Amino acid sequence: MTAPVRLQHGRAPLGITEVTLTPGSYLGDLQDLNASATLPHAIGKLDESGVIANLASPGGEAHRGFGFSDSDLYKTLEAVGWEIARTGTTAFDGFLDSSYRLLRAAQQPDGYLNSWGLSADSPGRWVDLQWGHELYSAGHLIQAAVALNRAGRGELMAIARPVADLIVRRFAHEGTCGHPEIETALVELYRETGEPGYLTSAKGFVERRGNPVQHTKPFGPAYFQDHAPVRDAEDATGHAVRQLYLDAGCVDVAVETGDADLLAAVQRRWDSAHRRRMFITGGMGSHFQDESFGDDHELASERSYAETCAAIADLHLSWRLLLATGEARYGQAMERVLYNAIPAAVSEDGTSFTYANPLQVRTGGRVVEYNSGRQPWFSCACCPPNVARLRASLAAYLAFADDEGLAIALPAAATLELPPQVGTGRVVITGDLEAGSLTVTPEADFLPGMGLRIRVPEWATSPQVDGAPAPVENGWLSLDTAARSTVTLDVTPTAMVADARVDAVRGSVAVQAGPTVLCAEAHDNREVDALAIDPNRPLTGDPTGATGSGAVLATGEALYRRFGEPAGDPEATPVTLIPYREWGRRGRVAMRVWLPTVDL
Amino acid sequence: MTAPVRLQHGRAPLGITEVTLTPGSYLGDLQDLNASATLPHAIGKLDESGVIANLASPGGEAHRGFGFSDSDLYKTLEAVGWEIARTGTTAFDGFLDSSYRLLRAAQQPDGYLNSWGLSADSPGRWVDLQWGHELYSAGHLIQAAVALNRAGRGELMAIARPVADLIVRRFAHEGTCGHPEIETALVELYRETGEPGYLTSAKGFVERRGNPVQHTKPFGPAYFQDHAPVRDAEDATGHAVRQLYLDAGCVDVAVETGDADLLAAVQRRWDSAHRRRMFITGGMGSHFQDESFGDDHELASERSYAETCAAIADLHLSWRLLLATGEARYGQAMERVLYNAIPAAVSEDGTSFTYANPLQVRTGGRVVEYNSGRQPWFSCACCPPNVARLRASLAAYLAFADDEGLAIALPAAATLELPPQVGTGRVVITGDLEAGSLTVTPEADFLPGMGLRIRVPEWATSPQVDGAPAPVENGWLSLDTAARSTVTLDVTPTAMVADARVDAVRGSVAVQAGPTVLCAEAHDNREVDALAIDPNRPLTGDPTGATGSGAVLATGEALYRRFGEPAGDPEATPVTLIPYREWGRRGRVAMRVWLPTVDL
């Protein structure tokens, strides 16, 4: 199967060639916009930002940008790989050929390939493992090579394997990278080649974590998840993307080596992240300073960082856990980021991107580069090509096959070709989550004992099948493999509150409709900084937008006043809400997901 | 008068030799602990941290610590100066002599004196004005020299003036420092010497701000207050200490040059800071990342930075504005930081210090260097010696004289010698703010037309004089110059709420008793992370501690749930509160200033 995560052991994802997202559907549009706009845009930016020049003269003129700039190219190549796998396009052949030439010329006789490591800016090869990102960049090269190989383009494997082989030799007994990524990459290369040395190497990188002698400046070992062995670390902590990438690698190693202990450790940290450290949009990482997870329940909207790459990483991790365990909650997490945190990161035209994804923007709020709304590129350009590789492979995150049959993890309009272990033919899904209606039509012969099931979102309180209450079991609903079923879900806008320990949004609600978190923007509402909503009055609308009854809260001269001394009366006003993922499209103005409650 | 701010034009502060803080009183204890513990501790740390070694071999071995490490010595010398002025002690003479020898040996023939600027680590003298802090360090040298000179020790002036003269020449037409400090220092040197060139130079440094070509990495010009001219900048923004130091310099220049426009600009920014960007403790600076002011009303307890130096800087600024305008609100701000943010920074034994001053610490919260509670020193050691110089000069912030007579800005137990322009004799104050009772006894002959007034805090709702309602006018209360008066203030614990736009503490109250903000610690309360208080039930206690009725809020498995679905019932529990400034004395545990409200 042509998929980013192809487990040797565990549930088998349906790949890009097995799943066709329906054009014009929500997920289909995300994928198509990526192909038509984001991918060409990213390729153009590689040149402009110096990525190509760095590789064209490694060790020559000064290295431009961050040490990991090569990875911008690799992520883009990976996206191209999935795009070729999906459509068979030859539009990128020129880009591929010039990239291969560039990389072949830059590669050293022993396989080493990293424009920063070869430049005068670095202290030498493999010296600054903490900040140099050489293993991280190599990981993305490997991922790109695997993607292209799965699309029938093997040329990059001939470049990536010597890199991987060098790493396997060089890091046989010691060393970890300051930024995880090599771990998942080596496991995937093992899956692609069957070469057990790659899996062993990945396991080494994972198991060597927790040596706090390394990785101490300036943020301390927890930033790098080097404060404790991966089996012992309790919480999702430190730099959010690093933590989530590392845990994805841990799942890969655990699944392929049958390591239940390691898998349980990751599940524990996943709980830490999702039950105590996640914004309602699925965003992760509360702190600007070190792009890190905050403390438990430290989830301030006003300085929510929620890096785009962390949302993508969360989808990678949750998908792996879903394949490893079959538990619906992991699919729920994927749904959350796919309808909120991830799409919020990309503009309507597909060519500008967020880095941080705040849940609140105040009137006159200060703008700095990484919270400046959607930008065409960033000096640290990790997010845009990461979006591109995810969206190009989106179809491969929809469904999987296991001993029970076919499971639809992300209900969406698509056509699924049955893998041979389940049966022959296909399953056609129409409708979508936001419409609250999905019709699943099997046009297939299921093998005996093979069933068809669909994940029912947690927000759907009274799901129905063909008008009758649906017997949901552990988040899954069994469907007839021989007849069409229509699943109905209530997508009425609903006010949500947070755990009492989330101080930042106390006395406030966020409105969610189906999978979609809504927000209030100054384009549609006045006085957004003091805007309140009455959650006891009905909300009308659906995931595309909603209205409610609200008020502008009174404010006074004093910043602090005695309890019981009112600043004035709230002034009634309607509240108009749009999907969070669409914030800032009409210009960056005051916005908030969480609205104070008021009784009208 | 021996005072840190001795205006040529404006109200005249009573100096250290005119004001004696009563031993055993609140402010007296702060000062005495500083003399007996903090100052000797700081002197010891200068050696240990490399400050002395840097100056002993400038340009020799590698420079240790930050480029501004010399300023640690200068702030300590300034503190010694005020201590000598206050007590005439000779205990520091050895330290002074060795410091003078060190500095004389390090000083270059043209006056230049900066161990970092002379070291191989710097790009050369005056090259990296943005991060090198050479002018900042020189400013602290000048402040130390002025303090010692006012204490009758002129030796350091002979070292500092060549530095100042060099700066006046070198920066006659261009240049600003990345960290303000030179501005106030040069004005004070002008006041001390009468040399107008220093004032002109200070004015140049102030007026040259707002050139965004400079000061751009990594945080952008607003971090350095270089985004707009000082007359135009609307808000308190960027690095909090830098903003407040700069504005103190602006007031000094404005007052000495009669520049009402510049003064008005500072008052506008003071309002921005105090009405929209200040924690209830007086702490300032919402962001860890750049130690900066947040947006309006962005005041999250959970990541409040509130650097110790910013609270000290706020006192410096508010005092200058009080002297410039006579407006009581500036004294109120001083009181707020002197009872809360500043004393919280120092341990009971005077030898450990906070850097950040959070309003909330969660159970199991992550600890990093600058929010690790009180530490003996920091790698960036700006705060401890800054505390020392402030506390050594504390007496000089109590009262001032003007055309109307003597004004007591900070009511506290002390003896005030009348300056000749007001009369002869003294005024004795007993009692203190926290006791809610102050007895003011004039033992003096006031000149005709000269009165005596005392600032009445804003929290005192029904102040009385000798049992009768006190006629407070614009925050001031006139007292009899010939007879004893007793002022009574209600210090009952009171629940306070914040402006509706302060999202972080919505649905919560902070308890304040008199000048003192209280907090709940896990030492005295269970489940502090979910602890709530009923503000409608009586609070008992006073500024030294209080109790109230509260509850532990119910929490569930889910991080987010539907509005109206309770997580469970709150469980009634008493709430015990201690002064915020005493948090962490029994160990760093969960703590919070703001408590959710609950109806019991």
Side-chain angles (χ1 to χ4, degrees):
Chain A
M1 285 156 201
T2 309
V5 186
R6 200 171 67 185
L7 281 65
Q8 302 281 82
H9 304 283
R11 288 161 190 79
L14 268 63
I16 287 169
T17 47
E18 286 84 43
V19 179
T20 306
L21 298 175
T22 305
S25 69
Y26 173 72
L27 292 182
D29 278 353
L30 292 185
Q31 195 174 61
D32 289 343
L33 182 66
N34 188 62
S36 64
T38 305
L39 207 36
H41 172 82
I43 290 171
K45 285 291 178 184
L46 293 175
D47 212 18
E48 198 180 313
S49 64
V51 171
I52 301 300
N54 286 337
L55 280 159
S57 59
E61 53 188 288
H63 188 272
R64 278 178 66 187
F66 287 92
F68 45 87
S69 66
D70 295 357
S71 69
D72 298 345
L73 170 62
Y74 300 148
K75 290 182 203 170
T76 308
L77 285 168
E78 184 187 335
V80 166
W82 302 129
E83 203 50 37
I84 293 171
R86 184 169 78 90
T87 64
T89 178
T90 56
F92 300 107
D93 285 7
F95 168 66
L96 288 178
D97 286 342
S98 64
S99 299
Y100 299 156
R101 275 198 303 276
L102 188 72
L103 295 171
R104 280 190 205 108
Q107 190 161 34
Q108 303 298 296
D110 67 350
Y112 186 85
L113 176 51
N114 185 293
S115 72
W116 175 81
L118 293 168
S119 79
D121 293 352
S122 91
R125 292 164 45 164
W126 312 126
V127 175
D128 185 4
L129 291 179
Q130 187 166 326
W131 290 112
H133 286 69
E134 288 156 286
L135 289 162
Y136 167 89
S137 295
H140 278 299
L141 168 61
I142 293 166
Q143 296 276 24
V146 168
L148 282 158
N149 201 51
R150 287 179 185 163
R153 305 293 184 93
E155 298 96 321
L156 195 58
M157 282 290 268
I159 297 168
R161 284 200 66 173
V163 174
D165 294 340
L166 175 65
I167 288 170
V168 169
R169 291 194 305 275
R170 170 66 181 75
F171 297 95
H173 304 295
E174 49 95 34
T176 53
C177 184
H179 197 311
E181 163 62 27
I182 189 67
E183 300 81 359
T184 45
L186 285 172
V187 176
E188 211 58 39
L189 187 59
Y190 155 70
R191 289 168 179 154
E192 190 67 8
T193 63
E195 172 54 60
Y198 299 135
L199 178 60
T200 306
S201 182
K203 183 172 163 61
F205 282 120
V206 160
E207 300 281 8
R208 283 194 290 267
R209 294 270 157 185
N211 171 9
V213 178
Q214 272 198 310
H215 300 160
T216 51
K217 283 182 183 173
F219 298 122
Y223 172 88
F224 300 97
Q225 294 80 43
D226 203 27
H227 59 300
V230 290
R231 294 167 191 282
D232 301 338
E234 281 297 321
D235 288 311
T237 192
H239 187 271
V241 180
R242 283 171 165 82
Q243 174 72 78
L244 296 164
Y245 276 26
L246 175 63
D247 275 342
C250 289
V251 178
D252 281 340
V253 168
V255 167
E256 301 304 345
T257 62
D259 189 334
D261 180 56
L262 181 57
L263 185 65
V266 177
Q267 288 182 285
R268 189 174 65 227
R269 284 191 291 275
W270 188 94
D271 281 349
S272 161
H274 291 79
R275 290 185 178 173
R276 300 190 296 277
R277 301 184 176 191
M278 175 189 74
F279 295 100
I280 196 169
T281 56
M284 288 184 183
S286 298
H287 296 172
F288 266 65
Q289 189 183 36
D290 46 6
E291 308 185 312
S292 79
F293 282 102
D295 292 337
D296 282 352
H297 307 108
E298 185 198 339
L299 293 162
S301 302
E302 35 195 355
R303 189 83 171 166
S304 43
Y305 193 70
E307 183 181 337
T308 297
C309 284
I312 293 169
D314 185 44
L315 185 125
H316 290 159
L317 172 60
S318 295
W319 179 237
R320 282 166 170 79
L321 286 170
L322 178 54
L323 294 178
T325 67
E327 293 177 24
R329 59 186 172 136
Y330 300 119
Q332 182 64 54
M334 294 169 64
E335 177 197 303
R336 190 185 293 272
V337 289
L338 268 179
Y339 282 82
N340 301 290
I342 293 177
V346 186
S347 63
E348 221 173 341
D349 70 358
T351 62
S352 60
F353 313 88
T354 58
Y355 197 105
N357 292 282
L359 275 71
Q360 178 174 22
V361 173
R362 288 178 192 268
T363 306
R366 189 152 57 93
V367 176
V368 295
E369 181 181 6
Y370 296 111
N371 78 341
S372 52
R374 300 183 190 94
Q375 300 295 328
W377 209 245
F378 292 92
S379 53
C380 174
C382 54
C383 298
N386 214 3
V387 165
R389 72 182 184 122
L390 174 72
R391 286 193 171 192
S393 59
L394 207 49
Y397 291 94
L398 232 67
F400 61 83
D402 62 9
D403 295 345
E404 298 171 44
L406 180 67
I408 302 164
L410 282 175
T415 301
L416 317 181
E417 298 291 336
L418 250 58
Q421 68 266 41
V422 176
T424 54
R426 56 196 199 157
V427 172
V428 179
I429 312 170
T430 56
D432 66 37
L433 278 185
E434 292 202 318
S437 176
L438 292 137
T439 298
V440 182
T441 310
E443 301 172 356
D445 291 315
F446 281 72
L447 291 175
M450 289 288 113
L452 172 62
R453 65 192 195 276
I454 190 168
R455 188 183 58 79
V456 175
E458 290 168 8
W459 47 262
T461 45
S462 307
Q464 295 188 318
V465 179
D466 298 329
V472 178
E473 198 175 340
N474 295 324
W476 295 101
L477 172 64
S478 287
L479 297 178
D480 197 325
T481 56
R484 179 159 67 186
S485 311
T486 295
V487 181
T488 316
L489 310 165
D490 185 0
V491 294
T492 306
T494 306
M496 305 292 291
V497 296
D499 183 285
R501 292 164 292 190
V502 182
D503 295 275
V505 300
R506 190 181 311 291
S508 301
V509 297
V511 178
Q512 185 173 339
T516 303
V517 174
L518 306 179
C519 72
E521 269 199 318
H523 292 299
D524 310 303
N525 300 278
R526 62 198 193 83
E527 304 280 351
V528 168
D529 299 332
L531 185 66
I533 194 165
D534 187 343
N536 293 306
R537 295 205 177 198
L539 292 153
T540 58
D542 59 36
T544 66
T547 55
S549 302
V552 175
L553 297 174
T555 57
E557 273 289 287
L559 184 52
Y560 303 106
R561 66 182 191 280
R562 285 164 179 262
F563 173 81
E565 281 176 6
D569 294 322
E571 186 188 342
T573 186
V575 174
T576 302
L577 302 167
I578 63 165
Y580 168 72
R581 61 177 182 259
E582 295 176 9
W583 82 273
R585 285 192 179 172
R586 293 166 290 172
R588 191 179 192 275
V589 294
M591 177 276 292
R592 59 194 307 164
V593 167
W594 291 93
L595 292 171
T597 58
V598 67
D599 286 328
L600 292 176
Chain B
M1 286 154 197
T2 309
V5 186
R6 200 170 66 186
L7 281 65
Q8 302 282 81
H9 304 284
R11 287 159 190 79
L14 268 63
I16 287 169
T17 48
E18 286 84 41
V19 179
T20 306
L21 298 175
T22 304
S25 70
Y26 173 72
L27 292 182
D29 278 353
L30 292 186
Q31 196 174 59
D32 289 342
L33 183 67
N34 188 62
S36 64
T38 305
L39 208 36
H41 173 83
I43 290 171
K45 284 291 179 184
L46 292 175
D47 211 20
E48 196 180 315
S49 65
V51 170
I52 301 300
N54 286 337
L55 279 159
S57 59
E61 53 189 285
H63 188 272
R64 277 179 66 189
F66 286 92
F68 45 88
S69 67
D70 295 357
S71 70
D72 297 346
L73 171 62
Y74 300 147
K75 290 183 203 169
T76 308
L77 286 168
E78 184 188 333
V80 166
W82 302 127
E83 204 49 36
I84 294 172
R86 183 168 79 89
T87 64
T89 178
T90 56
F92 300 108
D93 285 6
F95 169 64
L96 288 179
D97 286 343
S98 65
S99 299
Y100 298 156
R101 275 198 302 277
L102 188 71
L103 295 171
R104 281 190 205 108
Q107 190 162 34
Q108 303 299 297
D110 67 349
Y112 186 85
L113 176 52
N114 185 293
S115 72
W116 175 81
L118 292 168
S119 79
D121 292 352
S122 91
R125 294 164 45 165
W126 311 126
V127 174
D128 185 3
L129 291 178
Q130 187 165 324
W131 290 111
H133 287 68
E134 289 155 286
L135 289 162
Y136 167 88
S137 296
H140 278 298
L141 169 61
I142 292 166
Q143 297 275 24
V146 168
L148 283 158
N149 201 53
R150 287 181 185 163
R153 306 292 184 95
E155 297 96 321
L156 195 56
M157 282 290 268
I159 297 168
R161 284 199 64 173
V163 174
D165 294 340
L166 174 65
I167 289 170
V168 168
R169 292 193 304 274
R170 170 65 181 75
F171 297 96
H173 304 296
E174 50 96 30
T176 53
C177 184
H179 197 311
E181 164 63 27
I182 188 66
E183 300 81 359
T184 45
L186 285 172
V187 176
E188 212 57 38
L189 188 59
Y190 155 70
R191 290 170 178 151
E192 191 66 8
T193 62
E195 173 54 59
Y198 299 135
L199 178 60
T200 305
S201 182
K203 184 172 160 63
F205 283 122
V206 160
E207 300 281 9
R208 283 194 289 266
R209 295 269 157 186
N211 171 9
V213 178
Q214 272 198 308
H215 299 160
T216 50
K217 281 180 183 175
F219 297 122
Y223 172 88
F224 300 97
Q225 295 78 44
D226 203 26
H227 58 302
V230 290
R231 294 167 191 283
D232 300 339
E234 282 297 322
D235 288 312
T237 192
H239 188 271
V241 180
R242 283 170 166 82
Q243 175 72 78
L244 296 164
Y245 276 26
L246 175 62
D247 275 343
C250 289
V251 178
D252 281 340
V253 168
V255 167
E256 301 305 345
T257 63
D259 190 335
D261 180 55
L262 181 57
L263 185 64
V266 176
Q267 289 183 284
R268 189 173 65 227
R269 283 191 293 275
W270 188 94
D271 282 347
S272 161
H274 291 79
R275 291 186 178 171
R276 301 191 296 277
R277 300 182 177 192
M278 177 189 74
F279 295 101
I280 195 168
T281 57
M284 289 185 183
S286 299
H287 296 171
F288 267 64
Q289 188 183 37
D290 46 6
E291 309 185 312
S292 79
F293 283 101
D295 293 337
D296 281 352
H297 306 108
E298 184 196 340
L299 293 161
S301 300
E302 36 194 352
R303 189 83 171 164
S304 42
Y305 193 70
E307 184 181 337
T308 297
C309 284
I312 293 170
D314 186 43
L315 186 124
H316 289 159
L317 171 60
S318 295
W319 179 236
R320 283 166 170 80
L321 286 170
L322 178 53
L323 294 178
T325 66
E327 293 177 23
R329 61 187 171 134
Y330 299 120
Q332 181 63 55
M334 294 169 63
E335 177 198 304
R336 189 185 294 272
V337 290
L338 268 178
Y339 282 82
N340 302 290
I342 293 177
V346 186
S347 64
E348 223 173 341
D349 70 358
T351 63
S352 60
F353 312 88
T354 58
Y355 198 106
N357 292 282
L359 276 72
Q360 178 175 21
V361 173
R362 290 178 191 269
T363 306
R366 189 152 57 94
V367 176
V368 296
E369 181 180 6
Y370 296 109
N371 77 341
S372 53
R374 300 184 190 93
Q375 301 295 327
W377 210 245
F378 292 93
S379 52
C380 174
C382 53
C383 299
N386 213 4
V387 165
R389 71 182 184 121
L390 174 72
R391 287 192 172 193
S393 59
L394 206 51
Y397 291 93
L398 230 68
F400 61 83
D402 63 6
D403 295 346
E404 298 170 45
L406 181 67
I408 302 165
L410 283 175
T415 302
L416 317 180
E417 299 291 337
L418 250 56
Q421 67 267 40
V422 176
T424 54
R426 56 195 201 157
V427 172
V428 179
I429 312 170
T430 58
D432 64 37
L433 277 185
E434 291 202 321
S437 176
L438 293 136
T439 298
V440 181
T441 310
E443 300 172 357
D445 291 316
F446 281 72
L447 292 175
M450 289 288 112
L452 172 62
R453 64 192 198 275
I454 190 168
R455 188 182 58 78
V456 175
E458 291 169 8
W459 48 262
T461 45
S462 308
Q464 295 188 318
V465 178
D466 298 328
V472 178
E473 198 175 341
N474 293 324
W476 295 100
L477 172 64
S478 287
L479 297 179
D480 197 324
T481 57
R484 179 159 66 187
S485 311
T486 294
V487 181
T488 315
L489 310 165
D490 184 0
V491 294
T492 305
T494 306
M496 306 291 291
V497 295
D499 182 286
R501 290 163 294 190
V502 181
D503 294 275
V505 298
R506 188 181 312 292
S508 301
V509 298
V511 177
Q512 186 173 339
T516 303
V517 174
L518 305 178
C519 71
E521 268 198 320
H523 292 297
D524 310 302
N525 300 278
R526 61 197 195 86
E527 304 279 353
V528 168
D529 300 332
L531 185 65
I533 194 165
D534 186 344
N536 292 306
R537 296 205 177 200
L539 293 153
T540 59
D542 58 35
T544 67
T547 55
S549 302
V552 175
L553 297 174
T555 56
E557 274 289 286
L559 185 52
Y560 303 105
R561 66 182 191 278
R562 284 164 182 264
F563 173 83
E565 283 178 4
D569 293 322
E571 187 187 342
T573 187
V575 175
T576 302
L577 302 168
I578 63 165
Y580 168 72
R581 60 176 182 258
E582 295 176 9
W583 81 272
R585 284 193 181 171
R586 294 167 288 172
R588 190 179 193 274
V589 295
M591 178 276 292
R592 59 193 308 162
V593 168
W594 291 92
L595 293 171
T597 59
V598 68
D599 285 328
L600 293 176

